[in-house]
Amino acid sequence: MQTHEIINRFTEHFRAAGHTVVPSASLILDDPNLLFVNAGMVQFKPYFLGDAPAPYPRATSIQKCLRTGDIDEVGKTTRHLTFFQMAGNFSFGDYFKEGAIRHAWSLVTGPQDQGGYGFEPERIWATVYETDDDAARLWHEVAGLPWERIQRRGVEDNSWDMGVPGPSGPCSEIFYDRGPEYGAEGGPIVDENRYTEIWNLVFMENQRGESTGPNKGDYPVLGPLPQQNIDTGMGVERIACLLQGVENVYETDLLRSVIDKAEEVSGRRYGDDHDDDVRFRVIADHARSGVMLVGDGVTPGNEGRGYVLRRLLRRIVRSARLLGVHEPVLGEFAKVVRDAMSPSYPELVTEFDRIDSVLRNEEEAFLATLSTGSKIFDTAAAETRKAGGTQLPGSKAFQLHDTYGFPIDLTLEMAAEQGLSVDEQGFRELMSEQRRRAKEDAKARKTAHGDLSTYRSLLDSHGTTEFIGYTDLQSTSRVLGLLVDGAPVPVAGQGSEVELVLDRTPFYAEGGGQIADTGKLVGEGVELQVTDVQRAVPGLFVHTATVLGGEVGLDTELEAAVDVDRRSAIARSHSATHLVHAAVRSAYGKRAAQAGSLNSPGRMRFDFTAPSGVSSSVLGGVEEEVNEYLQNDVEVQAYNTSMDRAMELGAIALFGEKYGDQVRVVDMGDYSRELCGGTHVGSIAQLGVVKLVSSSSVGSGVQRVEALVGMDAMRRISKEHMLVNQLAEQFKAPAEELPERVESMVTRLRNAEKELQQLRVSQVLQSAGELAGRAADVSGVSLVAEQVPDGVDGNSLRALASEIRGRFGSRPSVVAVFSSDPETSKVSFVVAVSRDAQDRGFAAGKLVPAFASHVGGRGGGKADMAQGGGSDPSGITAAIGALRKEVEQVVSRG
C-alpha cells in the first residue's frame, strides 16, 4: 500500500466518523516554544489550552512535522528522521477514551477492501499508563485484546505533556508484533524493535504546573481540565514500512525514490557498504526535509530556521561528495522529492521553480565554501607536518566546521589522503560544549505559555470582540475587561496605563505586517489615548491606553474613535505592499514569495525570496509598473469565501500563516489577489504615487524593498527635484547632463588626489637623507627610529623606510618610522631591516611586538619589512624607546 493511499484511508476513515478534515499547518507556525512544528497537535494548541473555542468538536489532519534534535544521528540508524508526517484525530470535549480506542482499532484492523489497513488483530499489543484502569478495560472490551497483550508502563513512557505548564494526561500506545525474527517475545516492555509502536493516543484530562525537578513527571497536577480532550498521532512513515513489507522507513516508497536517484548519480549501490548506506540515508531524509522547508518559506541563513535548513542542505552535498559526486546535486534530488510528495502536497509543483532556485543558489555558495575550506585545511595540514605531528588538532577541525561550515567527515577524509589523523575526541568535546551552550540558551529562551488566564476568562464569559473597523472608524463600545500591570481592576484613574477589552471595536489589532491603530476613547468625564492594540488570545482585542483624564471602570460606555488620517496612511501603505508584491512577482516569477512586510503610515517594507540583489533596473521597473497600474483607478474589493474557492481564483496565501475554512480575499483587479485580513483603500487611485527608495539583502536569498506612499512619496520626490535643481544651478548645466558632469568632476578629483599623494610621497622621500643622517650606532648597527610629520599613510611610510634603509648600503641597518593621523587619532608604523642586519639576527616582523603595545596596536610582516597600526599617538615616544632597547638586546644576544 503506497504512502499516499495510507494517508487517504486515514483521512476518509475519520471524515466518515464526523471529523472535520483540517489541512496541515505550515512547518513554521508562530509559536514561541517551537522552531518548527514537531507534532500533529501543534496547530490545535489554542483549543487544548483554552485560548480559543474550537470551531469543530472533532478534527483530523495529516501534519507535516520536523524535529531537529537528532540531525547528527540521521543516517547512522534506520529509525531517525527529521521530516515526517503525523496522522492525527482530535476531540475537543467530544468523545474520550472509548471513542479514541474504537476509531483507532477499526482503522488499524479493518479489512483493506473496506478501507482499513488490515493488520492482524492477534499481532496487536497496547500499553497504558500504570494506573489507567479505564484504558486497559476498554482495550479488552472494545478491541477484544486479551489482558496479556495489554501492558502497563510508567510516567516516562505513557504520560504526556508539552514540557511546560498546561494540559497533560496519560496515553496509550498501539504496537505491532513484527515476529520472532525481530526479537524476543514478551511485548513492548521487553523489545520495542520487534514490537513497533504505530499509534499513540493521548487522553488529555489534567492541568499540570511548573516542573519541580529534572525528570519528566516532576510537576504537580493542578486539577482536571475544564473538558477532556483527545489527541492521537499515527506515524505515516512507520505504518508505510509495515504495510509495504520493508525493513525500515528508508525503503518505503517516498524515501527509496531519493536513494534510487543517489545511486544513479553516484554509481554506487545502497546496501553494499555501511558508510555509503549512511550517506544514502542522509541524502534521502535531508532532501525531503529541505524541499518541504523551502516550500513553507524558509530560506538558508546563519540563525534559527535558516541555519537548520542550511545545515541539512550542506549535509546532502557533503554526503554526495563522499559518494564520489562532485557536481551539483540538490536540484536533481529536489525533483525526485517533488514527484514523490506532490500527490499529498500539490503546492510543491506550483512552487517548484522557487524551491529549485533557493536550493541551487545555496549549493553554489556551499561549493565555494568547500573550496575555501579546502585551502584552510591544506594550510592546517602543512602546519601540522611542519611541527612534526601526524594528527590535526581537534580545535582546527572544529574551526573548519564551526566557522567555515566544513563537515568533519570531509576533514577526516582529506586528512587520511595526506597521511594524517584528526583529534576526533578533541573535536567531539568542542562540539559537545557548543551543544551544551545552545541547549542552555534554548532553555533560557523557552518559556511556558504566558499567563493568559484573565484573557481566556474574558473570552469565555463575553465571547470574541466584534471588529467593525473594516467599515466603521467610530463606535459606541462598552468596557468588558480592565487591567493594570496584567491584573484585573474595577477602576483606573488619570495617568494610569491600562489594558481594555471592549465588546466591539473599530481599532485594528497589529497583524499581517500592519501596525495597530491608535486613537481616542471618550466617555462621560473620562478620556483615554489608545497607543496599541493586540490580540492577546485569538478573537480578543486588547487595547493599551493611557487615561488622560477622569476615571474608567468596568461597564463604562465609551466612544471609540480611530485616528483617521493615520489609518488612511497605513491603509495606503498596505495596499501599496500588495501592488509591489504583484510587480515583484511579475519581475521574478513565482519564486519571489513574500517573506515579511511592515505597513506603517506613509511607508511600507516588503521582503521576498530572490536569489540575488535587486538591480536598479528591476527596482525602476517595479516602481514604473505599480504607478502605471495606479492610473486605472481600480476598485479594491474585499470579501470572504472558502479556502478552496480562493485558491481557484488564484489568491496568494502567505507562508507560515494559518487559515481557516473561510478566508478574506483582497482584490485589486486581476493584477493582485491575496488572502489578507488588513485594511485597505477603497480605490488604488487613493495611493497617489508609490516611490521605491531602497533595496537591500536581509539574509541568504531574501531581499527587501522599501517605499514611500502618497504624500510621503510626493515629499520625497519634491525634495529630490529641488536637490537636482540646486545641482544643475551649481554646475550650470541642464538636469539631464548632471550625471556626466558629476562623473567628470569625480574623475578630476581622483586625479587630483593621486597627484597630491605623489607630491606627499616626494616630500617625504626628500627627508630620507636627513633622517638617515640622524641614525644612531648600536654596536655597528645603524638605527633610525623617528616620528615623521602627521598624515603620512602606510604606503608612503613603506617607501620612506625603504629609501632610508637603502642609503646605508651594505652597513647593517634597522629603520622604524611612525606617523599619526590627527583626524582619526590613529598611528601607522613601518619597520625595515637590511639584509646585513638580518644576518645579525634582526627580523622586522619580530621587532614589532616589542613596541606595538605602546601605541595600542599590533602589526607584523616578514624579516625585511613589517608594518602595523595603533590607536594611541601619545605612545609613539615610548614605542621608539622600546624599539631602541630591543635592538640593543638583539645585538647583545648576537
Side-chain angles (χ1 to χ4, degrees), residues 687-710:
L687 272 61
V689 66
V690 176
K691 175 65 178 175
L692 297 186
V693 294
S694 69
S695 66
S696 60
S697 174
V698 292
S700 176
V702 179
Q703 305 301 319
R704 170 173 293 171
V705 294
E706 297 188 61
L708 298 174
V709 186

Side-chain angles (χ1 to χ4, degrees), residues 586-655:
S586 176
Y588 286 98
K590 291 182 179 180
R591 61 181 178 173
Q594 181 169 338
S597 66
L598 178 64
N599 304 298
S600 54
R603 191 178 191 95
M604 58 142 288
R605 187 181 74 205
F606 179 72
D607 298 344
F608 63 97
T609 55
S612 59
V614 183
S615 67
S616 57
S617 61
V618 170
L619 199 68
V622 168
E623 181 180 274
E624 182 176 347
E625 184 172 317
V626 169
N627 285 287
E628 184 176 355
Y629 190 66
L630 293 181
Q631 299 179 58
N632 296 315
D633 193 16
V634 173
E635 181 182 358
V636 177
Q637 296 182 330
Y639 52 90
N640 293 323
T641 186
S642 68
M643 185 66 175
D644 290 342
R645 177 57 179 159
M647 294 298 97
E648 288 175 8
L649 293 171
I652 297 173
L654 302 186
F655 295 113

Side-chain angles (χ1 to χ4, degrees), residues 783 814-815 831-833 841-852 863 866 882-883 886-887 890:
L783 171 63
V814 175
V815 178
V831 179
V833 175
F842 287 96
K846 293 182 178 180
L847 289 173
V848 170
F851 66 83
L883 175 61
E886 181 64 16
V887 170
V890 172

Side-chain angles (χ1 to χ4, degrees), residues 201-215:
L201 297 82
V202 175
F203 309 131
M204 210 178 290
E205 56 187 6
N206 298 319
Q207 177 81 20
R208 61 149 283 191
E210 291 281 359
S211 294
T212 58
N215 299 316

Side-chain angles (χ1 to χ4, degrees), residues 234-564:
M234 184 196 80
V236 171
E237 283 77 9
R238 195 169 293 182
I239 288 286
C241 179
L242 295 172
L243 290 178
Q244 292 174 20
V246 295
E247 287 296 309
N248 58 70
V249 293
Y250 286 96
E251 296 178 11
T252 58
D253 54 334
L254 299 187
L255 287 166
R256 179 66 211 205
S257 59
V258 184
I259 292 177
D260 290 343
K261 172 57 71 172
E263 287 181 327
E264 178 186 325
V265 298
S266 68
R268 302 188 191 183
R269 290 292 171 264
Y270 183 60
D272 288 352
D273 178 85
H274 170 74
D275 290 339
D276 281 355
D277 288 351
V278 171
R279 294 155 190 158
F280 280 120
R281 290 192 286 267
V282 167
I283 291 170
D285 173 81
H286 290 4
R288 189 167 68 153
S289 299
V291 168
M292 301 305 289
L293 282 173
V294 177
D296 275 359
V298 182
T299 55
N302 293 325
E303 295 180 351
R305 295 170 177 137
Y307 176 72
V308 172
L309 174 59
R310 172 163 287 166
R311 188 178 174 197
L312 292 173
L313 299 181
R314 291 185 170 189
R315 279 171 60 87
I316 297 172
V317 177
R318 176 273 314 271
S319 297
R321 188 182 180 104
L322 293 175
L323 287 172
V325 183
H326 293 265
E327 296 76 25
V329 292
L330 290 184
E332 292 303 309
F333 293 143
K335 291 176 183 176
V336 177
V337 173
R338 174 199 63 193
D339 295 341
M341 300 294 291
S342 59
S344 293
Y345 306 99
E347 64 272 15
L348 295 180
V349 175
T350 57
E351 295 291 331
F352 186 73
D353 287 347
R354 178 183 61 83
I355 295 169
D356 184 61
S357 176
V358 171
L359 297 180
R360 290 179 184 274
N361 284 313
E362 178 64 15
E363 182 169 24
E364 181 180 337
F366 182 47
L367 291 174
T369 296
L370 285 178
S371 176
T372 302
S374 297
K375 295 175 183 176
I376 295 167
F377 170 84
D378 290 341
T379 301
E383 291 174 351
T384 299
R385 287 195 299 270
K386 184 177 181 181
T390 60
Q391 185 179 68
L392 196 73
S395 59
K396 184 61 67 174
F398 179 76
Q399 179 191 19
L400 282 164
H401 171 86
D402 191 54
T403 305
Y404 301 100
F406 208 66
I408 182 61
D409 288 356
L410 272 182
T411 301
L412 291 169
E413 180 189 44
M414 293 172 66
E417 290 174 353
Q418 298 198 26
L420 299 173
S421 63
V422 178
D423 177 13
E424 290 188 69
Q425 179 63 30
F427 172 81
R428 303 295 176 195
E429 289 174 356
L430 289 169
M431 286 294 294
S432 296
E433 176 62 20
Q434 184 189 60
R435 289 195 191 100
R436 183 190 64 77
R437 291 194 302 267
K439 287 181 179 179
E440 289 178 353
D441 182 54
K443 185 176 180 181
R445 292 196 309 269
K446 183 176 181 179
T447 59
H449 293 270
D451 183 9
L452 303 175
S453 57
T454 301
Y455 302 118
R456 293 177 195 151
S457 177
L458 287 167
L459 189 67
D460 291 340
S461 58
H462 298 290
T464 59
T465 305
E466 181 187 0
F467 176 62
I468 62 171
Y470 290 135
T471 56
D472 297 283
L473 299 183
Q474 291 184 321
S475 72
T476 300
S477 305
R478 186 166 60 91
V479 179
L480 302 179
L482 184 64
L483 296 88
V484 174
D485 295 330
V489 296
V491 67
Q494 182 173 345
S496 299
E497 297 289 333
V498 299
E499 291 180 323
L500 301 100
V501 175
L502 307 176
D503 61 342
R504 63 204 305 257
T505 182
F507 288 90
Y508 182 83
E510 180 179 346
Q514 180 173 327
I515 65 175
D517 284 334
T518 61
K520 293 287 183 69
L521 295 170
V522 180
E524 187 174 345
V526 64
E527 182 179 1
L528 301 96
Q529 177 70 48
V530 177
T531 56
D532 189 26
V533 188
Q534 298 290 329
R535 293 180 179 88
V537 294
L540 198 72
F541 287 49
V542 178
H543 305 70
T544 301
T546 302
V547 182
L548 301 179
E551 287 187 340
V552 62
L554 292 175
D555 290 324
T556 299
E557 191 172 274
L558 300 171
E559 295 298 320
V562 173
D563 183 333
V564 176

